[in-house]
């Protein structure tokens, strides 16, 4: 899901960069935890845990 160029859109539509960029900013730059709970056909829940220093 967080792979560069991953997309659920047809070929030629979209860039597939949204979640990859979000992952880099949220997890790698800010050192937070990102979890995903997903149920096919139902939706996805993103849980972002921000540490307090």
């Amino acid at each position: 899901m967080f792979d560069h160029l991953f997309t659920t859109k047809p070929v030629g539509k979209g860039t597939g960069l949204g979640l990859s960029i979000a992952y880099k900013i949220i997890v790698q730059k800010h050192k937070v935890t990102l979890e995903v709970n997903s149920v096919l056909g139902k939706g996805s829940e993103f849980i972002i845990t921000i540490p307090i220093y």
Side-chain angles (χ1 to χ4, degrees):
M1 178 181 286
F2 295 106
D3 291 336
H4 176 70
L5 299 180
F6 173 86
T7 185
T8 57
K9 296 179 179 87
V11 174
K13 301 290 182 184
T15 60
L17 297 175
L19 289 176
S20 176
I21 291 170
Y23 181 85
K24 286 179 183 174
I25 292 170
I26 293 169
V27 175
Q28 295 175 352
K29 183 175 181 180
H30 296 290
K31 308 297 184 213
V32 303
T33 301
L34 177 61
E35 299 175 63
V36 180
N37 296 322
S38 184
V39 177
L40 187 61
K42 297 286 184 177
S44 299
E45 172 186 46
F46 291 83
I47 303 166
I48 300 170
T49 305
I50 303 169
I52 298 175
Y53 294 103

